Amino acid sequence: QKEVEQNSGPLSVPEGAIASLNCTYSDRGSQSFFWYRQYSGKSPELIMSIYSNGDKEDGRFTAQLNKASQYVSLLIRDSQPSDSATYLCAVNKDSSYKLIFGSGTRLLVRP
Amino acid sequence: KAGVTQTPRYLIKTRGQQVTLSCSPISGHRSVSWYQQTPGQGLQFLFEYFSETQRNKGNFPGRFSGRQFSNSRSEMNVSTLELGDSALYLCASNSGTGRHEQYFGPGTRLTVT
């Protein structure tokens, strides 16, 4: 079992729809959770961080964390073609700067 | 505020050679992490440096090494290059707060032939 799992996709949604990206992790001691966006040929860009159970909203993005079920999700409202990218889920297991990444979900937003 | 810089951006090396990559973190950040990204293995942690000391190391062979200087700039070195070392090498500048946020540089694309 991988430590951080994501569906590789592609997840295809029409423009204006809500895109829902999911991630599960295996270590119950995980403390910090991050979503990165990576465009093809570019480096990952941090878009959301979440540390406690519940929802965290930032603009069109909402991160959701459920530690009991060991999953973290990212909702993108009013999806735009420019949101088409690979979304990487990352988990920090301890108080370090060592992130464990999922393999990423490719999102395609159709105009 | 300047972002993370990495040099060089592209490198082509031959098997058996060695390579040194450089990273300058965001001004004020004292910790740097290095990652390797390949299509097959994804993003994997190499090591992290803080105040010139390695604090964490991933599961890579000893051919992969790094160091950090007093101005927080960091270098990583790969000796005796293998074809499988072809990858995007990413440096992350670490926020230094309890939030553990990391900000990636543009990366160095290494091709080993």
Side-chain angles (χ1 to χ4, degrees):
Chain A
Q1 182 189 11
K2 290 184 178 179
E3 292 187 77
V4 180
E5 298 214 50
Q6 296 181 255
N7 189 315
S8 61
L11 172 66
S12 181
V13 300
E15 184 174 354
I18 296 174
S20 178
L21 305 161
N22 299 310
C23 169
T24 58
Y25 60 94
S26 61
D27 190 329
R28 286 194 171 274
S30 299
Q31 300 179 1
S32 308
F33 307 84
F34 306 90
W35 284 99
Y36 286 83
R37 177 176 63 196
Q38 186 172 27
Y39 292 112
S40 181
K42 302 293 186 182
S43 62
E45 174 192 8
L46 178 64
I47 54 173
M48 290 291 285
S49 56
I50 188 165
Y51 307 92
S52 55
N53 282 328
D55 295 359
K56 179 182 177 183
E57 186 175 317
D58 184 0
R60 295 186 298 113
F61 298 101
T62 298
Q64 300 174 318
L65 175 61
N66 184 323
K67 290 187 176 181
S69 300
Q70 294 175 242
Y71 83 78
V72 56
S73 61
L74 179 70
L75 301 178
I76 306 175
R77 290 181 299 281
D78 188 24
S79 294
Q80 301 297 308
S82 58
D83 294 326
S84 297
T86 296
Y87 289 80
L88 298 161
C89 171
V91 172
N92 180 318
K93 296 200 297 183
D94 51 33
S95 300
S96 75
Y97 284 100
K98 174 182 178 179
L99 290 182
I100 309 298
F101 282 85
S103 56
T105 298
R106 192 158 69 97
L107 172 66
L108 295 176
V109 181
R110 310 187 303 271
Chain B
K1 200 174 193 181
V4 185
T5 59
Q6 290 188 247
T7 57
R9 294 290 311 278
Y10 303 92
L11 264 179
I12 299 176
K13 290 286 188 179
T14 304
R15 270 180 302 175
Q17 289 185 315
Q18 74 165 15
V19 67
T20 299
L21 313 180
S22 179
C23 169
S24 291
I26 294 169
S27 178
H29 287 187
R30 296 168 60 192
S31 170
V32 167
S33 296
W34 287 90
Y35 293 83
Q36 180 197 64
Q37 187 174 32
T38 60
Q41 299 298 317
L43 260 164
Q44 293 186 288
F45 173 80
L46 280 157
F47 27 65
E48 183 228 338
Y49 285 87
F50 172 78
S51 289
E52 303 178 64
T53 300
Q54 187 182 88
R55 286 202 298 196
N56 259 298
K57 190 177 190 309
N59 297 322
F60 279 82
R63 300 184 297 106
F64 292 81
S65 63
R67 59 177 176 168
Q68 187 181 33
F69 302 95
S70 58
N71 62 357
S72 295
R73 188 177 70 87
S74 178
E75 289 181 348
M76 68 161 284
N77 183 277
V78 188
S79 62
T80 319
L81 283 166
E82 300 177 0
L83 294 178
D85 297 333
S86 295
L88 179 66
Y89 289 89
L90 292 159
C91 169
S93 182
N94 302 325
S95 63
T97 68
R99 297 164 60 84
H100 291 91
E101 293 177 337
Q102 299 187 359
Y103 302 93
F104 285 94
T108 295
R109 173 75 60 185
L110 172 65
T111 302
V112 182
T113 62

